[in-house]
Amino acid sequence: MSEEPQTEDPMVAALLREREGYVSRGMDERVAQVDEQLKLHGHKPPAKGAQMSARSTPPKGRQQRGPEKT
């Protein structure tokens, strides 16, 4: 099991999530574009063929709003 890269930069984190989606769909051209953006932000792109680990817990569902009070 590979460790998920830790970053404090929200842009890098978003790019890594975006890259993971492109890798899973086989969109190599988009992966290369995201890798270029990662380099510009000072982050080394993951190795080719390396996948990030899946979430350990599913995302929480959205909560419904309570009744509006007037």
Side-chain angles (χ1 to χ4, degrees):
M1 182 188 265
S2 64
E3 289 186 26
E4 189 171 332
Q6 300 295 318
T7 180
E8 295 295 321
D9 186 352
M11 178 60 83
V12 171
L15 286 167
L16 290 171
R17 285 190 303 271
E18 181 179 358
R19 183 186 190 282
E20 184 178 358
Y22 291 142
V23 168
S24 68
R25 290 181 289 204
M27 300 174 74
D28 296 333
E29 187 175 315
R30 294 294 293 165
V31 171
Q33 291 173 345
V34 172
D35 286 348
E36 186 64 32
Q37 290 300 311
L38 285 168
K39 288 178 189 175
L40 291 174
H41 285 278
H43 188 81
K44 183 179 176 188
K48 290 193 176 197
Q51 268 190 324
M52 294 173 67
S53 62
R55 286 185 174 197
S56 58
T57 58
K60 293 182 180 178
R62 295 183 75 177
Q63 294 182 357
Q64 290 184 341
R65 277 184 166 178
E68 289 188 26
K69 297 179 181 176
T70 56

